[in-house]
Amino acid sequence: MQNKKKVISFIALIIIVILWGIVPVIGKYLFNNNFYSPALLIATRGLIATVIMVIFVLVTKQFKALNKSYLICIPAGIILGSAYLFQFIGLETTTASKNTFLEAFCVIATPLTLLIMIKEKPTIASIFASLLCLVGAFILCGDGWDFTSLLKAPSLGDIFSAIGGALFGVNIAFTQVFAKDKNPFVYVTIQLAILSVISFIYAFGFERPLLFSWDYKNILIVLFLSIFCTAICWIVRAYAVRNISATTIAVMNPMSAVIATTIALCLGQETFNTNLLVGAIIIVIAILISSLSQAKMATGAASIAEKDNNNLS
């Protein structure tokens, strides 16, 4: 029975990785055709996903866990919302491949945030991964291998994508520190609600032009992003990670970026070049090193906790 759960969870995580790999490609399509403006798309997607998550949490009676300690979800939601805004605003003026691979700046931001918040010293692996990430991003944003082309300045979209990735890293660290004793479904629901609010505020306050398509085909795309790629993915992932090892999840982390790049190339959204290949490979290696290091630390901490519990018994 346990093996069956693991197999189902593994398949579910593969599907989630594929869906999250499709998201930037769909987003790029919507922006290129001026169907939606980035912040309004995030706000709409977040609102629909929040409604679904609230229904799920109410039906499963998990809101009983809600107390004052969940106020920590407000800053967590602001960080997550800011990450999405930078990522999708960046996607408007960069390629889907750069957008997803530059999200790897979370590899740098996560250990740095933990150092600032709880004085947790970064491991040698995380430092090495951070340096690799910087090298990979440098090559990825280049436009050739001669000196002047390799030193080409990143576009504003590249910079925003990197900032979005760094903020995702801050959110990961924030969650690691403050969400250990929180119900994951309630935690995610509140974060999505905050994300929706700040995205609507930004969209109506600053986004010009403000674009929203009422064409039924585009509405169906937004519903797909909201229901399947956001709400259902978060719900299923929260269950699946309980049955899959941290190492397996760590290895799967960079696959969304690989999928996004592969689909974008196949659809002709962008053209292949050596910088993309080399930069992407280096960034994938950086993510793997960082993720496997974190997984090893998490496994070690769990083993120590289990030994302590056994000793107390």
Side-chain angles (χ1 to χ4, degrees), residues 59-76:
V59 170
T60 55
K61 299 179 180 179
Q62 297 191 59
F63 260 125
K64 292 179 180 179
L66 193 60
N67 55 48
K68 287 183 180 180
S69 69
Y70 280 85
L71 287 173
I72 200 68
C73 295
I74 295 175

Side-chain angles (χ1 to χ4, degrees), residues 31-306:
F31 301 153
N32 284 349
N33 290 281
N34 294 320
F35 291 139
Y36 297 96
S37 48
L40 193 55
L41 176 62
I42 297 169
T44 306
R45 176 183 167 189
L47 178 61
I48 296 169
T50 300
V51 171
I52 294 169
M53 289 293 291
V54 167
I55 293 171
F56 172 80
V57 170
L58 286 173
V59 170
T60 55
K61 299 179 180 179
Q62 297 191 59
F63 260 125
K64 292 179 180 179
L66 193 60
N67 55 48
K68 287 183 180 180
S69 69
Y70 280 85
L71 287 173
I72 200 68
C73 295
I74 295 175
I78 292 172
I79 296 168
L80 183 65
S82 300
Y84 269 102
L85 283 172
F86 273 106
Q87 185 189 42
F88 270 71
I89 292 170
L91 179 59
E92 196 174 24
T93 53
T94 190
T95 62
S97 60
K98 287 184 181 180
N99 182 261
T100 51
F101 277 112
L102 288 172
E103 190 181 317
F105 266 70
C106 66
V107 167
I108 302 171
T110 300
L112 183 61
T113 305
L114 289 172
L115 175 63
I116 295 169
M117 291 177 67
I118 58 173
K119 310 299 181 187
E120 181 179 295
K121 293 183 180 179
T123 62
I124 294 175
S126 65
I127 294 172
F128 183 59
S130 297
L131 292 173
L132 270 183
C133 181
L134 285 172
V135 172
F138 178 75
I139 294 172
L140 186 73
C141 293
D143 191 27
W145 288 92
D146 61 275
F147 187 74
T148 54
S149 297
L150 198 59
L151 289 176
K152 179 183 176 183
S155 69
L156 189 61
D158 297 335
I159 294 170
F160 278 9
S161 298
I163 292 172
L167 286 171
F168 278 121
V170 175
N171 182 262
I172 290 168
F174 201 87
T175 300
Q176 190 173 320
V177 173
F178 294 107
K180 291 179 180 178
D181 59 341
K182 302 290 185 292
N183 180 297
F185 301 105
V186 177
Y187 188 83
V188 169
T189 301
I190 298 173
Q191 281 197 102
L192 288 176
I194 301 296
L195 175 151
S196 304
V197 170
I198 66 170
S199 297
F200 273 118
I201 291 172
Y202 180 88
F204 288 111
F206 304 100
E207 199 161 52
R208 301 292 182 271
L210 194 63
L211 304 173
F212 190 91
S213 172
W214 289 99
D215 181 87
Y216 80 94
K217 292 179 182 177
N218 294 327
I219 293 295
L220 287 176
I221 291 174
V222 173
L223 287 173
F224 172 76
L225 290 174
S226 306
I227 297 170
F228 292 96
C229 299
T230 308
I232 292 178
C233 275
W234 278 110
I235 292 169
V236 173
R237 190 179 187 278
Y239 275 120
V241 294
R242 298 174 180 178
N243 304 307
I244 298 294
S245 71
T247 303
T248 302
I249 294 169
V251 172
M252 295 173 75
N253 276 346
M255 292 303 108
S256 289
V258 174
I259 289 167
T261 302
T262 303
I263 295 173
L265 290 171
C266 290
L267 293 177
Q269 277 190 358
E270 53 189 278
T271 54
F272 175 82
N273 60 66
T274 311
N275 289 74
L276 172 61
L277 176 63
V278 177
I281 290 173
I282 292 173
I283 288 173
V284 167
I285 293 171
I287 297 171
L288 286 173
I289 291 172
S290 175
S291 299
L292 289 170
S293 174
Q294 289 179 17
K296 185 178 179 180
M297 287 174 65
T299 303
S303 299
I304 292 170
E306 188 177 348

